[in-house]
Amino acid sequence: MMLKTIRNNLALTLLPILMLSSESALADHVSQNTTNKTAPEKPVAQSLTLEQAIDYALSNNPDLQIATERISQAEAQLGVALSAFYPQVTAKVGYDHSNNPAQVFSMIVAQRDFGPNSINNINDPGYRQNFRPEIIGKLSLFRGGQDYHNSKAAELGISAAEFERSSVRNALIEAVTASYYAYLAAQEAQKVAQDSILAIASELKLTRQRYEAGTVLKSDVLSLEVKSAEAQEAQIRAANAIDLAKTGIATLLGLPVDQAFVVTSASSMLPAPKLASSYNDLLDLAVTQRPEVKAAANQVEIALAKLKSEQGAYLPKADAYVSYGQNSQSPGFSGSKDNVTAGVSVEMDLFSGLETKNRVSAAERKAAEARETERKTKLAIEQEVKTAFLKLEEALARMRVTEASVAAADEALRLVNEQRRAETVTITRYIEAEAARNKAHSNTIAAHYDALSAEAALKKAVGDWK
């Protein structure tokens, strides 16, 4: 009666676990099939502003998708670590066929077929077979804290993966912003080059007519031809810079390089870059919010948790187990021949060939490496913030200087135009003044875009887009 009660209770205990295992296996199968399906590609607009380009990159960039998948992997690793706290249930079937007296005797007893005549043939029992279906449950009671520290390391692993994604996101937005401004700057440079080509071509045509009329020298024609070649070269460089910048943007957006799209400015007025905080304030902000700093500190905690896990191997281990099954000479199951075994086992490694010692030593070195990596990360971020701060200062100063030079270049060209109409300056001097004016405008545009890119780099350095 007691045996049947134990059997029924055990069956009721194991049934939900087996059902849960089946549902988990089915869910894994469905999840795998879903993962294998190719996700539909997100359509890209024909015209992208900076904000639209950033939004598209955040949803389609492969590096960011990889970082997201690593978070899912870390979550799965946590599930693996937590599985140590749950019972482990195994179902198996065994078959034996033997004429060994000791084994045959144990089979007869286990099959509950022992009778008064069984002892008479104990030395020559003949062949006998045994089928044993059984369910085995095992629960870890204590493993020196290894399961706990492994689970803590796995939890920290999720945070590390999230910090990695934040770092990728921060760098991605800065890269898209810099590429966007590089594209617009190249477009403006191309416009300046095209205007120069048209202006020089007009002057070259007029000068050739004057040369044929004998009113100007051949050197004036040659000078304009050289200027025309230089303007065409500048136009080629600008066109190539546009293609390179567009290729870089396409890669950041996760698009083929031949994807058709156009980058446009959201408004005719570019934002004004500025330096709103001191270097020390920016450095403090970077140390507190840069995901790389948090990730490095997180790796130190992971290494310490793994060290404690390895140290737990010095302590004893205790497991509880229960087995429910039957023994019979034919396949099948009979409740009259079932049996239950339950118990607790404790074991401790007395000597493992110094494996435990060396594993602990390796974990200690790993923790020391993590600490040095954290220090190195802080130094690298300090350098990055300092570099970005100085570059933004330089870019803002250049922008102010170039803006002032535009007014001077415009006035110089106006004066040369008046002198040219009075025929008191050569055509070469006029072309030089016009080239200086075009270069001043081009430098102003480039300086503005450089300042915006430097501002984006500083925002990335302090972790504004984490």
Side-chain angles (χ1 to χ4, degrees):
M1 185 67 179
M2 181 178 295
L3 183 60
K4 287 187 177 181
T5 302
I6 296 174
R7 181 188 66 196
N8 294 335
N9 291 339
L10 184 61
L12 290 173
T13 302
L14 295 178
L15 182 59
I17 298 175
L18 292 174
M19 293 177 64
L20 182 60
S21 300
S22 300
E23 292 175 358
S24 177
L26 180 59
D28 290 343
H29 179 70
V30 173
S31 175
Q32 183 178 4
N33 290 340
T34 304
T35 304
N36 290 337
K37 294 181 180 178
T38 304
E41 184 177 349
K42 181 180 178 181
V44 60
Q46 293 298 317
S47 180
L48 293 173
T49 64
L50 175 58
E51 291 73 18
Q52 290 171 335
I54 290 174
D55 290 341
Y56 192 90
L58 292 177
S59 62
N60 200 55
N61 181 267
D63 288 330
L64 199 58
Q65 300 303 316
I66 290 171
T68 301
E69 292 301 325
R70 286 177 179 166
I71 294 177
S72 299
Q73 293 175 25
E75 291 172 346
Q77 289 296 325
L78 175 60
V80 172
L82 292 176
S83 66
F85 295 98
Y86 292 91
Q88 307 299 310
V89 181
T90 305
K92 69 177 185 178
V93 176
Y95 170 75
D96 296 314
H97 187 76
S98 176
N99 68 346
N100 184 306
Q103 291 186 354
V104 171
F105 184 76
S106 66
M107 292 178 186
I108 294 173
V109 175
Q111 293 170 4
R112 307 187 191 280
D113 288 338
F114 184 80
N117 296 326
S118 299
I119 198 68
N120 297 330
N121 299 323
I122 191 171
N123 290 324
D124 189 17
Y127 284 94
R128 192 177 183 92
Q129 62 184 6
N130 180 64
F131 290 90
R132 178 168 174 79
E134 64 178 327
I135 297 177
I136 302 171
K138 182 179 179 181
L139 178 64
S140 176
L141 300 178
F142 181 71
R143 283 172 46 84
Q146 289 181 301
D147 294 335
Y148 170 77
H149 292 299
N150 286 337
S151 65
K152 295 301 294 182
E155 288 179 5
L156 293 169
I158 296 177
S159 299
E162 290 173 344
F163 289 139
E164 179 185 358
R165 182 177 63 178
S166 296
S167 177
V168 173
R169 186 180 189 277
N170 190 40
L172 177 61
I173 295 178
E174 188 271 335
V176 172
T177 303
S179 298
Y180 171 85
Y181 288 133
Y183 182 88
L184 295 182
Q187 282 186 323
E188 294 294 336
Q190 187 182 44
K191 291 178 183 177
V192 171
Q194 290 171 343
D195 291 341
S196 297
I197 290 173
L198 293 175
I200 293 173
S202 176
E203 288 296 330
L204 180 59
K205 180 180 179 180
L206 181 60
T207 303
R208 281 173 176 165
Q209 292 174 351
R210 291 178 177 178
Y211 170 70
E212 292 173 357
T215 58
V216 297
L217 300 175
K218 177 67 173 178
S219 60
D220 291 334
V221 176
L222 295 176
S223 295
L224 286 173
E225 288 177 346
V226 171
K227 295 295 183 182
S228 177
E230 290 177 350
Q232 290 175 7
E233 181 183 356
Q235 195 274 339
I236 293 172
R237 286 198 302 268
N240 188 55
I242 290 174
D243 290 338
L244 290 175
K246 189 172 182 180
T247 299
I249 293 174
T251 301
L252 293 171
L253 298 183
L255 298 173
V257 294
D258 57 351
Q259 174 73 45
F261 67 93
V262 177
V263 174
T264 60
S265 179
S267 62
S268 58
M269 294 295 295
L270 288 174
K274 59 183 179 179
L275 188 58
S277 303
S278 66
Y279 166 72
N280 289 331
D281 291 340
L282 292 171
L283 181 59
D284 292 340
L285 186 61
V287 171
T288 57
Q289 71 177 15
R290 271 293 288 269
E292 291 88 345
V293 175
K294 298 178 180 179
N298 188 267
Q299 290 296 332
V300 173
E301 295 183 39
I302 291 175
L304 293 175
K306 291 183 176 180
L307 173 58
K308 292 178 180 179
S309 174
E310 296 294 348
Q311 291 172 337
Y314 287 117
L315 300 176
K317 304 175 183 62
D319 296 317
Y321 61 91
V322 59
S323 171
Y324 172 67
Q326 76 146 38
N327 297 80
S328 62
Q329 288 202 77
S330 59
F333 191 87
S334 174
S336 63
K337 295 186 178 183
D338 60 355
N339 48 65
V340 177
T341 303
V344 176
S345 65
V346 179
E347 64 179 61
M348 181 176 181
D349 292 334
L350 299 180
F351 182 70
S352 60
L354 301 180
E355 177 186 1
T356 302
K357 179 179 180 298
N358 289 320
R359 290 175 68 91
V360 170
S361 178
E364 290 173 342
R365 296 304 93 210
K366 190 70 175 179
E369 177 189 352
R371 293 190 187 95
E372 289 303 310
T373 300
E374 180 184 22
R375 187 168 71 93
K376 177 183 176 181
T377 300
K378 291 180 178 179
L379 292 174
I381 289 176
E382 181 178 352
Q383 179 187 13
E384 184 179 352
V385 173
K386 185 67 173 180
T387 301
F389 181 84
L390 293 176
K391 286 187 175 181
L392 181 54
E393 277 190 331
E394 176 191 349
L396 292 174
R398 282 180 51 233
M399 190 173 69
R400 290 190 294 268
V401 170
T402 55
E403 288 173 351
S405 69
V406 167
D410 288 339
E411 178 63 17
L413 180 61
R414 187 188 67 80
L415 294 174
V416 170
N417 261 326
E418 292 180 356
Q419 294 171 347
R420 180 168 173 268
R421 285 193 292 270
E423 297 184 352
T424 59
V425 296
T426 64
I427 188 62
T428 302
R429 177 70 186 91
Y430 168 74
I431 294 300
E432 289 175 350
E434 187 173 32
R437 192 278 306 268
N438 291 339
K439 185 176 181 180
H441 281 277
S442 178
N443 288 343
T444 299
I445 295 170
H448 198 155
Y449 284 123
D450 287 346
L452 289 172
S453 297
E455 183 183 41
L458 184 58
K459 288 181 178 180
K460 183 257 182 183
V462 299
D464 272 4
W465 296 311
K466 60 183 184 299

